[in-house]
Amino acid sequence: MAQKVAMTILFDRYRLFNHLIDGGDETNFDQRATLIDAIDKVVKDMPKVEAEIIKQRYLTPESAYLKDYQVFEALGLTRAAYVNFRNDAFEKIAAAL
C-alpha cells in the first residue's frame, strides 16, 4: 500500500510538471523535464500491458478522475492480473528513479 501511495504522489508531480512545462512555466524547468523524461523512458521500455496501465491510470490529465476498476475493465484484465502488472510496473519505475 505504501508503494501505491508513493507512486501516486510521483505521478501527481508528473502530471503537474507536464502541465507547467506545456504552459510555458520556466521555473525549475530542467528539474521537471528530467523527472518527466525519466518516467517516460521507463514506461516506454515496459511490456505493453504494464505501460498501458501506467499511462491510462496515472499519466493522462484525466487519470485523477479514474479508478483502478475502470482501467482493468477497459484493458480486459481481471483485478488480480491488473494489480500484479501494476505492481511490477511500480517496481520498475522505483528502481529506475
Side-chain angles (χ1 to χ4, degrees):
M1 185 61 144
Q3 182 184 39
K4 183 177 179 185
V5 171
M7 287 291 122
T8 300
I9 292 167
L10 177 70
F11 295 133
D12 286 344
R13 289 181 67 199
Y14 173 95
R15 287 191 309 273
L16 174 64
F17 290 175
N18 231 353
H19 173 73
L20 292 173
I21 286 174
D22 289 346
D25 184 346
E26 296 295 325
T27 310
N28 298 322
F29 179 86
D30 292 337
Q31 210 173 15
R32 292 192 314 248
T34 299
L35 176 69
I36 291 168
D37 291 344
I39 291 173
D40 286 345
K41 182 182 181 332
V42 174
V43 172
K44 180 180 172 271
D45 294 338
M46 286 180 183
K48 184 176 180 175
V49 67
E50 291 176 11
E52 282 304 310
I53 288 169
I54 297 301
K55 286 177 193 174
Q56 289 185 30
R57 179 63 180 93
Y58 299 102
L59 301 184
T60 66
E62 297 81 24
S63 63
Y65 307 103
L66 292 175
K67 302 294 181 194
D68 287 326
Y69 78 89
Q70 293 171 304
V71 177
F72 72 72
E73 287 178 357
L75 295 174
L77 298 171
T78 64
R79 182 183 189 288
Y82 172 85
V83 170
N84 287 333
F85 287 129
R86 182 196 65 203
N87 290 346
D88 288 346
F90 283 173
E91 289 178 17
K92 290 173 183 164
I93 293 167
L97 301 180

